[in-house]
Amino acid sequence: MVDANGARLWYDEAGRGEAVLLLHGGLGDSGLWEPVVPLLAERFRVLRTDLRFFGRSAGPAAPWSWEKDVPGVLDELGIERAALVGLSLGGRIALDVALTWPERLWAVAGVAPGLSGHGGEPYSDEQAARYDEAEAAGDLEAMQAVDFEVWAPLGVDERIRRLWHATPDANPLPPGVERLPPPGGPAKPRLGELRVPTLVVTVSHDPPAFREVGPLVAGAAPDARHAELDSDHYVTLREPELVAGTLLEFLSESAPSR
């Protein structure tokens, strides 16, 4: 565990080399990266952390910023610069961090990432209404079912169901907790300011707004590329070799000691 900005954040690491910090998505904890870690660790020092309020990490009932937690983790581990790789929610956070603290990163990558400031609701009105009704009733199984309709069209297994229970959706936040906006404002209008090598990997079975992120970033950022994989939002579990291979090619080209 590390202490960052008042939070107790779980982490682990594997491998040697330049540091690569993995941020997970909103549908689970760092277990979403489990099958990818040993593949990346053949070349890099790979760290992953449970975001505040996910999995084994916790924080006080106070306003917080996931973006500020990232340099806090690097500070606690004595890492001056790292590559930051985020899945989904973690990808959105990674891009915000890259725009705010570029000096702390030597590369940034998003896998099926969100993008702050980019509109597009992944849930239909009917799905959103069903989710809200299930949440009000405390019906976790019904909440799961709606989430999986949107994010797991290729099917669900017990591992995916278990990971969902590591999220704040299944473990409500303490009263009074408020997430602060990205420190520098939304990322979308600032993509031209990205100054670190950038990769966005989209997946073919994601909602349309998420599939738009890769081309948006690649078209606006000065040193960015886009790749697409045939999967849904659980791509790190379904296609770990493809994800790892795509990331390794990019990270190996971008690493300071290449």
Side-chain angles (χ1 to χ4, degrees), residues 156-250:
V156 177
D157 58 20
E158 231 8 80
R159 174 174 55 173
I160 289 174
R161 294 184 186 278
R162 184 176 66 252
L163 283 165
W164 189 92
H165 281 277
T167 72
D169 287 336
N171 306 282
L173 299 179
V177 171
E178 174 192 1
R179 185 190 173 198
L180 300 173
K188 185 176 180 179
R190 302 173 58 209
L191 291 173
E193 301 171 22
L194 273 172
R195 291 295 180 265
V196 296
T198 303
L199 169 69
V200 174
V201 180
T202 55
V203 292
S204 56
H205 297 276
D206 246 355
F210 275 69
R211 297 199 306 271
E212 293 167 359
V213 173
L216 276 171
V217 176
D223 186 7
R225 65 188 78 175
H226 170 227
E228 180 173 291
L229 301 180
D230 185 15
S231 185
D232 63 15
H233 216 62
Y234 285 92
V235 61
T236 54
L237 302 182
R238 302 195 196 280
E239 302 289 351
E241 292 86 3
L242 276 177
V243 172
T246 303
L247 291 173
L248 281 169
E249 180 180 2
F250 167 68

Side-chain angles (χ1 to χ4, degrees), residues 22-173:
L22 304 178
L23 304 178
H24 60 79
L27 295 169
D29 61 13
S30 58
L32 288 163
W33 284 109
E34 188 77 36
V36 178
V37 167
L39 304 174
L40 297 181
E42 294 177 6
R43 167 66 176 82
F44 295 102
R45 178 189 177 190
V46 182
L47 305 108
R48 56 181 177 149
T49 179
D50 287 345
L51 295 171
R52 186 188 299 228
F53 302 120
F54 282 82
R56 292 144 288 193
S57 293
W64 93 97
S65 164
W66 281 318
E67 291 81 12
K68 290 182 179 179
D69 284 349
V70 171
V73 169
L74 297 179
D75 288 343
E76 289 297 316
L77 296 176
I79 297 171
E80 183 177 349
R81 295 174 73 222
L84 190 58
V85 180
L87 170 68
S88 187
L89 166 65
R92 186 178 75 190
I93 295 167
L95 290 169
D96 288 333
V97 170
L99 284 163
T100 307
W101 296 284
E103 71 280 0
R104 302 304 303 269
L105 306 182
W106 53 263
V108 62
V111 179
L115 177 66
S116 59
H118 182 52
E121 176 54 58
Y123 295 78
S124 68
D125 290 344
E126 184 272 338
Q127 287 169 329
R130 278 197 287 126
Y131 190 94
D132 290 344
E133 182 180 349
E135 187 175 31
D139 188 343
L140 297 185
E141 187 172 336
M143 293 164 63
Q144 267 193 338
V146 178
D147 272 345
F148 294 153
E149 285 177 22
V150 176
W151 305 112
L154 300 183
V156 177
D157 58 20
E158 231 8 80
R159 174 174 55 173
I160 289 174
R161 294 184 186 278
R162 184 176 66 252
L163 283 165
W164 189 92
H165 281 277
T167 72
D169 287 336
N171 306 282
L173 299 179

